[in-house]
Amino acid sequence: MKASAPGKIILFGEHAVVYGRPALAAPVPQVRAQVDVSESARAGIWIDAPNIGLRAELEALPPDQPLAALTRNLLAAIGKDPHPDLQITITSTIPVAAGMGSGAAVSVALIRALASALAWPLSDEQVSAYAYEIEKLHHGNPSGIDNTVVTYARPVFFVKGQPVQILDVGAPFSVVIGDSGVPAPTRESVSDVRRLWESDKGKWEAVFDEIGDLARKAQAAIEQGVWKTLGTLMDQNQALLTQLTVSSPELDRLVSAARNAGALGAKLSGGGRGGNMIALVEEGAGEKVATALAAAGCPRAIIATIEAWPQLANRPVPATT
Ligand code: PMV
């Protein structure tokens, strides 16, 4: 059984989302994680993940290895004992530690492939919940936005602990996603922001409020298709992320290069300190901004279109398996 899941970008609200403020995220289908689960002639459950150099039998992996933990959690929940002998093969084109949700996408694809191989029906809500447990191993204290957007594979308006709301995208729009080339584990930036918050809760709560307000305004701008406003909101979000100390010289350079090349706005996306930035571009302007990013040292840029899903917005989400 095969399953795949997309990468993602956070459009607005990263970090503040951990503290209960809203955030917006969208899938990036150009990059994907793929998982193939098949019955195997070899005894045991073998996990093969060539991108990370992993080839091992489940029993040989430690309890906190995310792929092993997820496989064990699912097998325990499915409760088929003895399990069939299985070969699990995991590949991904999503850059790792780049703020593009690679861990969540691998989890979601693995959950869906294993559940279908063992004929175990799962709702999207359950898929997202199992993936969230593994996000805790990756991130420490995740908001749940990554597993949510990757599971539903739709643009989302997300508030921690609340039911997912599909973002009403009034008209499609394009962003250029630029890799800073610097890997940056989200766990570290999230724990640094926590230290900052603990040092002066009043000050940083006010910053989180401002970021949350920007996310709400961005939701309205996306619904109405007012791209100039959306670009300005991105720039304001970037300024607040810089205050939170999660930007970096490389990200700042790419953000400036994108703006100078005509982007309507630009900001880092995800945990920050490295990883990716995003720039909002007018139709047809993606290539020019991508070229400017490359000249500023960006090793890889993706031009992504955030599709309109007006017919689905605020309605129950259909299964995406
Ligand atoms: O996985 P990343 O790097 O896109 O980061 C997720 C966004 C954060 O708000 C920084 C963390 C979280 O759990 O929401």
Side-chain angles (χ1 to χ4, degrees), residues 8 10 14-15 17-18 99-100 139 141-146 186 190 270-271:
K8 71 101 216 328
I10 295 190
E14 49 275 271
H15 288 290
V17 69
V18 175
M100 288 198 71
H139 280 194
N141 177 31
S143 63
I145 191 168
D146 281 18
T186 300
V190 167

Side-chain angles (χ1 to χ4, degrees), residues 61-304:
L61 291 168
D64 61 350
Q65 204 288 342
L67 299 172
L70 180 53
T71 306
R72 288 195 187 101
N73 286 355
L74 288 168
L75 290 174
I78 294 169
K80 278 195 184 147
D81 207 10
H83 311 300
D85 296 324
L86 296 173
Q87 168 66 45
I88 301 175
T89 306
I90 301 166
T91 53
S92 174
T93 55
I94 307 171
V96 175
M100 288 198 71
S102 84
V106 164
S107 291
V108 166
L110 175 55
I111 293 163
R112 289 206 169 117
L114 194 56
S116 345
L118 299 179
W120 194 53
L122 274 180
S123 66
D124 282 343
E125 208 179 336
Q126 288 170 304
V127 169
S128 189
Y130 280 110
Y132 181 62
E133 288 309 305
I134 301 309
E135 286 295 284
K136 289 185 195 164
L137 291 179
H138 285 296
H139 280 194
N141 177 31
S143 63
I145 191 168
D146 281 18
N147 49 284
T148 301
V149 64
V150 164
T151 297
Y152 291 93
R154 301 278 188 274
V156 296
F157 175 91
F158 177 86
V159 180
K160 188 175 179 175
Q162 292 186 10
V164 57
Q165 201 180 316
I166 301 303
L167 192 57
D168 187 351
V169 179
F173 61 97
S174 292
V175 290
V176 181
I177 306 167
D179 195 339
S180 68
V182 180
T186 300
R187 175 186 277 275
E188 282 170 25
S189 63
V190 167
S191 65
D192 287 353
V193 169
R194 178 149 303 259
R195 265 194 291 279
L196 213 54
W197 174 73
E198 277 164 358
S199 71
D200 189 344
K201 290 189 184 163
K203 174 178 173 182
W204 297 109
E205 283 289 330
V207 170
F208 296 148
D209 281 342
E210 282 187 68
I211 294 176
D213 284 348
L214 292 178
R216 287 185 198 285
K217 287 181 184 153
Q219 177 190 23
I222 288 171
E223 279 175 15
Q224 293 153 16
V226 281
W227 308 129
K228 240 182 135 143
T229 306
L230 191 66
T232 305
L233 294 168
M234 268 190 186
D235 290 344
Q236 291 169 346
N237 196 164
Q238 172 65 12
L240 293 167
L241 288 163
T242 302
Q243 278 190 42
L244 277 174
T245 76
V246 294
S247 198
S248 71
E250 293 83 3
L251 286 166
D252 291 345
R253 192 164 61 235
L254 297 187
V255 163
S256 300
R259 288 176 187 156
N260 292 338
L264 300 172
K267 63 182 275 294
L268 68 87
S269 176
R273 296 272 167 79
N276 278 278
M277 50 72 70
I278 55 173
L280 180 67
V281 291
E282 279 173 314
E283 212 187 321
E287 289 296 344
K288 184 174 175 217
V289 170
T291 305
L293 290 178
C298 166
R300 144 173 157 147
I302 298 170
I303 302 170

